Amino acid sequence: IFIGDRAFKGDRNLKRVRLSPNTLEIGAEAFAGCVVLEDIVVPQSILEIGAGAFDGCLALADGEGYIMLGGACHGNVDPSLTDVRVPDRAESVAPGAFREKKNIRFVTVPPSVTRVGPHAFAGCSGMREITLPASVHDLGAGPFDGCDALESIVAPGMGPEDFEGEDRLCAVLGYCRRPEVYSSSRASAYEDWIQDEGHALELLSAAIERNMSDAMRFFALSGHIPPDVYPQALDRAQRARRMEIVAILLDYRQNIPNENPMARFSI
């Protein structure tokens, strides 16, 4: 069963809804603007929820604007929200819960959550950072599709092999920023990925571009800056005027044989 796009949009009389257990998809803005809707039962069979399905459903929201249905967080009714902190009572983040909420910048998911549904944050084009709990071991399809500003993913319950493409780079940088929250086995998987020589310049360049001094400090303290990559990293940091990162790299010079960066760069 499919609930079509905007099927009940703007219905100001709709108070209660019981969806069939066979319902698989709720279309975009299906219940948007149903301001008096106070009770809806969404079955666990749901595979996809379109963008803005519950926008403006003020009667469904809690005091902080979050819509909690059967233990699943289905988003927030505040269109200006920038810092998402999924409620501690949530057990999951529903499919499409925060889809296309372009104002979101930061997301924190609590330890009570074990599941993040497909496309939960897809289209959040302004999202920069997300912190997931160790209890989340996998994600639904395309959770970060269209999240072009995403810089780091802290995901202690997952390894680099659980991500692809740019998301993998974000996950590795997330580990570098918060290594203390990862178990030894997870940390080992990230360390193996970082120490692959083919990844060094890509990682260092990303940390510089995103001005992640905490990640660069991790690289320096762990000795993860190969001698042949060091001059390029220092040059990029200098050109980008990432002065805190430049200072970290200059302090690292004692680990680089036959390198005198002070003779090559001025601060």
Side-chain angles (χ1 to χ4, degrees):
I1 296 176
F2 167 68
I3 307 298
D5 294 350
R6 297 172 290 281
F8 299 95
K9 183 177 182 178
D11 189 331
R12 293 179 173 269
N13 297 311
L14 189 65
K15 284 190 173 184
R16 295 179 178 80
V17 174
R18 296 288 184 274
L19 298 180
S20 165
N22 298 320
T23 303
L24 298 178
E25 187 173 345
I26 298 174
E29 300 183 341
F31 297 96
C34 295
V35 293
V36 299
L37 179 62
E38 60 186 19
D39 182 28
I40 180 170
V41 175
V42 178
Q44 293 185 350
S45 58
I46 289 290
L47 300 177
E48 192 73 50
I49 298 178
F54 300 105
D55 280 1
C57 294
L58 303 180
L60 280 179
D62 65 13
E64 296 182 329
Y66 291 96
I67 296 178
M68 295 293 303
L69 304 174
C73 179
H74 284 261
N76 190 294
V77 296
D78 181 359
S80 64
L81 186 68
T82 60
D83 190 349
V84 170
R85 295 183 178 275
V86 175
D88 290 338
R89 64 186 183 281
E91 299 172 3
S92 65
V93 178
F98 296 92
R99 194 169 192 164
E100 296 186 23
K101 302 301 180 185
K102 302 184 186 304
N103 287 325
I104 291 175
R105 298 292 181 269
F106 307 99
V107 176
T108 303
V109 180
S112 57
V113 170
T114 60
R115 189 173 68 258
V116 174
H119 305 111
F121 300 97
C124 293
S125 57
M127 186 169 70
R128 293 175 53 193
E129 301 174 11
I130 182 168
T131 299
L132 299 169
S135 52
V136 173
H137 300 300
D138 55 60
L139 302 168
F144 308 122
D145 285 355
C147 296
D148 298 330
L150 189 59
E151 295 180 345
S152 70
I153 303 169
V154 176
M158 304 172 68
E161 70 279 359
D162 296 315
F163 298 90
E164 297 181 354
E166 186 68 18
D167 290 348
R168 179 177 295 166
L169 182 63
C170 291
V172 175
L173 287 171
Y175 163 73
C176 295
R177 303 182 79 183
R178 297 281 306 281
E180 71 279 1
V181 303
Y182 290 73
S183 68
S184 58
S185 60
R186 293 294 185 193
S188 179
Y190 282 97
E191 291 287 340
D192 288 345
W193 198 91
I194 293 168
Q195 292 178 43
D196 184 322
E197 292 185 2
H199 298 144
L201 184 58
E202 179 185 20
L203 274 172
L204 292 169
S205 298
I208 293 166
E209 178 186 348
R210 302 170 193 196
N211 202 19
M212 293 181 176
S213 57
D214 48 0
M216 188 61 71
R217 191 171 292 108
F218 171 83
F219 296 139
L221 291 173
S222 305
H224 290 325
I225 306 177
D228 59 328
V229 172
Y230 175 79
Q232 298 175 70
L234 183 55
D235 182 63
R236 292 189 182 202
Q238 179 79 7
R239 291 177 184 278
R241 301 192 65 79
R242 306 301 196 196
M243 304 316 291
E244 186 174 356
I245 290 177
V246 168
I248 293 169
L249 288 170
L250 289 174
D251 188 56
Y252 188 75
R253 66 184 180 273
Q254 61 186 340
N255 300 306
I256 306 298
N258 303 318
E259 175 67 26
N260 181 13
M262 295 303 293
R264 302 174 62 237
F265 296 94
S266 60
I267 305 301

